[in-house]
Amino acid sequence: MKLLTLLLFCVGAQAADDCPAYVKHDPGGDYTNADDRQGLAVVENFHFTPNVERLARGATGAIGADISYTLEHFPNHHRALAAMSRLALRERNRKPHGARYTIECFFDRALGYRPDDARVHALYGSYLLALGQTDSALEQLEHAARLEPDNPTAHYNLGLLYVKKKDYDKARASARKAYSMGFPLPGLKNKLSAAGEWRD
């Protein structure tokens, strides 16, 4: 019985890690591409409804299934990736109920298809940070800031992570970039001030 249980666990773990590359189909493709987005409404109207995005209830079944369907058509769908991340964290399950793949797989598929999508890197970094994986989160957030150097939010979030790691020189540099571009929230500056590391 123990051997059977172990075998079933191994098979289940292997199935959970099954992660084929995204293959474009219609409707579907790049969430940031105007031509591909022409088919977006078909997917969103039936699967990625406001209730699904809020994780209130599914549209056609389990919430995870509807978000999964959306990501199977548009792998770098930013709002759907954010929703799946929240669902994984809420359920404390890397493969939320109803989802076809693990959350790591959804990010891998998105980045495999569009490695230059800064928003996907930023979302992945935020998810990893929520798990306490600061080094991996830092890698993703730094990549996001490099891809979008004019995005103040990317620099702000990166600065918050630098503060968490007590790398205050880099945190100050990120803060100055974010605030010079008009980022409105004072949290990063306040954290640096509280640590005695903010210099006007």
Side-chain angles (χ1 to χ4, degrees), residues 94-164:
R94 56 192 287 263
K95 187 180 182 185
H97 176 66
R100 186 169 185 178
Y101 306 115
T102 64
I103 182 65
E104 295 90 351
C105 177
F106 283 116
F107 277 115
D108 284 346
R109 284 162 59 89
L111 292 173
Y113 183 59
R114 276 296 313 276
D116 59 341
D117 191 327
R119 184 65 179 148
V120 175
H121 285 282
L123 287 165
Y124 198 10
S126 296
Y127 170 72
L128 292 168
L129 187 58
L131 293 181
Q133 299 179 20
T134 54
D135 290 340
S136 296
L138 180 61
E139 182 180 341
Q140 294 296 330
L141 292 175
E142 285 180 334
H143 203 146
R146 283 195 300 271
L147 287 169
E148 280 190 347
D150 296 328
N151 184 338
T153 303
H155 293 292
Y156 181 85
N157 290 336
L158 187 54
L160 290 173
L161 185 48
Y162 283 139
V163 168
K164 188 177 182 71

Side-chain angles (χ1 to χ4, degrees), residues 10-121:
C10 291
V11 170
Q14 185 177 11
D17 289 330
D18 179 39
C19 189
Y22 170 74
V23 177
K24 184 177 178 180
H25 44 280
D26 187 28
D30 179 5
Y31 182 66
T32 65
N33 180 281
D35 290 334
D36 290 349
R37 285 176 68 93
Q38 290 181 17
L40 187 61
V42 176
V43 175
E44 290 188 341
N45 289 345
F46 292 98
H47 293 277
F48 197 65
T49 63
N51 280 324
V52 170
E53 186 169 10
R54 290 195 305 268
L55 309 185
R57 66 175 181 272
T60 64
I63 296 172
D66 281 311
I67 303 173
S68 181
Y69 184 91
T70 304
L71 291 172
E72 286 166 42
H73 286 262
F74 291 89
N76 62 326
H77 191 301
H78 303 152
R79 289 163 37 231
L81 282 169
M84 188 67 88
S85 297
R86 294 197 309 275
L87 186 62
L89 292 168
R90 186 174 82 177
E91 292 185 3
R92 298 182 180 180
N93 184 358
R94 56 192 287 263
K95 187 180 182 185
H97 176 66
R100 186 169 185 178
Y101 306 115
T102 64
I103 182 65
E104 295 90 351
C105 177
F106 283 116
F107 277 115
D108 284 346
R109 284 162 59 89
L111 292 173
Y113 183 59
R114 276 296 313 276
D116 59 341
D117 191 327
R119 184 65 179 148
V120 175
H121 285 282

Side-chain angles (χ1 to χ4, degrees), residues 171-194:
R172 274 194 305 276
S174 292
R176 294 192 192 289
K177 287 178 184 176
Y179 292 129
S180 70
M181 289 184 272
F183 192 82
L185 300 179
L188 177 53
K189 181 178 179 180
N190 292 344
K191 286 179 181 294
L192 284 164
S193 296

